[in-house]
Amino acid sequence: MAVRLPAAIHNGARWLRRFATTTPGAIGAVLVVTVVLCVFSGFVSANQLSDKMVRRDIVLERTEPLAYAAQSLYVALSAADASAAAAFLSGGIESPEVRGRYQQALADAAGALAEATTGASDAQTRSIVARITADLPAYTGLVETARANNRQGFPVGSAYLREASMLMQNSLLPNAEQLSKNRFAAVRGDQNDIGALPLTSIALLLSVSAACGVGSYVLLQRTNRRINLGLATAAGATAVVLLWSVAAVLVAASGVDTDRSGASTRFEMLAQARMLAQQARTDETLQLITRGDITAGEADFTEHTAALGARLENTIGSDSAAAGALASWKVGHARQKDAYEAANYPAAVAQAIGSAPESSATRFADLDAALRNELADVRTELRKGVDFAGGSLAFSPSGTLLLMVFAAVAVAVGLWSRLKEFL
């Protein structure tokens, strides 16, 4: 059964259809559509540009600091493992300095874990935090058991330390590395959002330009007037907004350069390089604890240092301070290896954990300091770039909105003068 509309509504619809075919009806339709498009595109453009400025603040205040804290967590955990191994190798009661490094590394890890997971709400991060929180006390318990046995001269101490190190290598560090990857991915995502063109705004602004063109054509056909000042002004304001939006975003994208040579990429690669250095240092110390075949440990050390060298060459160059420190450390490690293979275990231990300038411990400390300095420099560069991106977007949200409201007013004023001719 067909539903019949009330007579008033049916008649009103017929009147609107007839009115739309008239000249004032056509002009009125152009006026309403163009004004609505101007205002709507103004709000959308302002919101999209404003969102980019919010992303800038998020990078500076949240995602970048969390990424830095995540790599600091990995470094602190690895440093704790290396310090525990050094304490064990020193035999008997370790020196206060060695003990202090271990305790400081654990304190740094706890602080970095708290900072790197601040405000975390996603399931993956909560799972990572839960695993690290559960494993860290177990690790420290095994280390203390190994320490107690080592002080009494019991060989079983080395077994406890190997178990602790396995927990570190198989659970704590992989979880910390995954957390670091997630945090750096968040930084890249926010930077990409800042530098991405506002396609919705561009499409709407182009539709406003098209509406101005259609309106001019309708006026030409209906009133034989070539130019309407209101529509022309609106088209010009829209063109300014379009150019402003695109230019501001392109300049912002240059500040958050995310290509292979950009600060963001170098920041992540240097963080990975520091992690590789810690992994190689753990390989170096664990070789001496096993007091057996070091072939597998040497293979791991070579793999990690080769990957570290490649990252340094691609990121900061082979003539950097960090690259030089890496080469010096590898020379020191070769001395340690030669002493161990010559059955001179005390000399190998002294080379691994001693405080002499030529020891592996001293040279590794030089490498870590160089990497830390490089990381701090590129981090500063990244933050300056993100801050610059925000500066390039300043006033663009309010400016684009005001211009598009001005365009809407210009359309209304320009077309109303034509409508009045028929009233």
Side-chain angles (χ1 to χ4, degrees):
M1 181 177 177
V3 178
R4 300 187 62 180
L5 293 174
I9 297 177
H10 181 70
N11 293 333
R14 291 178 59 188
W15 181 86
L16 284 176
R17 285 197 297 270
R18 288 196 303 269
F19 179 72
T21 61
T22 66
T23 297
I27 295 175
V30 169
L31 188 153
V32 172
V33 171
T34 307
V35 167
V36 170
L37 277 175
C38 285
V39 175
F40 182 64
S41 62
F43 275 105
V44 171
S45 298
N47 284 334
Q48 287 200 299
L49 294 172
S50 181
D51 285 344
K52 292 180 183 297
M53 297 186 69
V54 171
R55 286 289 179 184
R56 184 277 304 268
D57 295 336
I58 290 174
V59 171
L60 294 178
E61 298 172 8
R62 179 174 172 79
T63 52
E64 185 279 329
L66 293 184
Y68 185 78
Q71 68 84 31
S72 296
L73 169 64
Y74 186 100
V75 170
L77 288 173
S78 189
D81 200 35
S83 298
F88 185 87
L89 290 172
S90 62
I93 301 176
E94 70 273 20
S95 67
E97 181 183 358
V98 172
R99 182 67 177 171
R101 283 201 300 267
Y102 170 72
Q103 293 175 330
Q104 184 60 52
L106 288 179
D108 292 342
L113 177 62
E115 184 178 353
T117 56
T118 300
S121 58
D122 59 290
Q124 186 179 30
T125 300
R126 290 199 302 269
S127 177
I128 290 174
V129 173
R131 289 194 294 268
I132 293 177
T133 303
D135 289 341
L136 193 54
Y139 170 81
T140 56
L142 289 169
V143 169
E144 291 306 315
T145 303
R147 178 171 175 260
N149 282 277
N150 189 42
R151 292 179 64 180
Q152 299 177 65
F154 297 155
V156 72
S158 62
Y160 280 108
L161 190 61
R162 283 196 298 271
E163 185 177 353
S165 188
M166 286 180 61
L167 180 61
M168 177 67 74
Q169 300 299 320
N170 296 331
S171 180
L172 282 165
L173 290 180
N175 281 308
E177 184 176 11
Q178 184 59 52
L179 180 62
S180 180
K181 289 180 179 178
N182 293 347
R183 292 306 187 213
F184 277 106
V187 173
R188 289 196 305 273
D190 287 337
Q191 288 184 299
N192 288 334
D193 287 343
I194 293 172
L197 288 173
L199 297 181
T200 302
S201 298
I202 291 174
L204 285 172
L205 292 170
L206 290 175
S207 69
V208 172
S209 298
C212 291
V214 170
S216 297
Y217 178 77
V218 169
L219 288 176
L220 177 63
Q221 295 297 312
R222 298 279 183 165
T223 66
N224 202 30
R225 296 176 183 271
R226 294 182 179 275
I227 297 177
N228 179 271
L229 185 58
L231 289 174
T233 302
T238 303
V240 170
V241 171
L242 181 60
L243 292 175
W244 187 354
S245 300
V246 172
V249 172
L250 290 178
V251 174
S254 69
V256 293
D257 191 0
T258 55
D259 64 15
R260 294 187 60 182
S261 61
S264 178
T265 302
R266 288 184 286 119
F267 183 47
E268 185 172 0
M269 289 188 69
L270 283 172
Q272 293 172 354
R274 200 175 177 205
M275 294 178 189
L276 285 168
Q278 293 291 341
Q279 290 173 351
R281 177 59 178 165
T282 300
D283 297 333
E284 185 176 54
T285 53
L286 287 181
Q287 290 177 13
L288 301 179
I289 293 175
T290 58
R291 302 192 70 162
D293 185 11
I294 62 171
T295 302
E298 274 299 307
D300 290 339
F301 178 86
T302 301
E303 178 184 353
H304 288 143
T305 52
L308 169 58
R311 275 175 172 74
L312 293 179
E313 183 174 359
N314 293 332
T315 306
I316 55 178
S318 57
D319 58 345
S320 62
L326 172 61
S328 179
W329 178 36
K330 291 168 70 174
V331 171
H333 177 76
R335 292 177 181 172
Q336 172 187 323
K337 177 174 176 289
D338 292 341
Y340 185 85
E341 291 178 341
N344 191 350
Y345 185 75
V349 170
Q351 177 63 29
I353 65 173
S355 57
E358 68 276 3
S359 70
S360 295
T362 301
R363 294 184 176 187
F364 172 76
D366 293 339
L367 171 61
D368 189 58
L371 287 172
R372 188 169 58 249
N373 292 337
E374 293 284 357
L375 191 60
D377 290 343
V378 76
R379 183 190 184 196
T380 299
E381 181 183 345
L382 183 150
R383 292 180 65 84
K384 285 183 177 178
V386 173
D387 191 50
F388 169 80
S392 69
L393 293 168
F395 306 111
S396 57
S398 57
T400 54
L401 177 58
L402 288 174
L403 280 172
M404 293 312 297
V405 170
F406 170 74
V409 172
V411 170
V413 172
L415 293 182
W416 177 248
S417 62
R418 301 281 74 79
L419 277 174
K420 288 193 300 182
E421 298 173 357
F422 300 91
L423 297 180

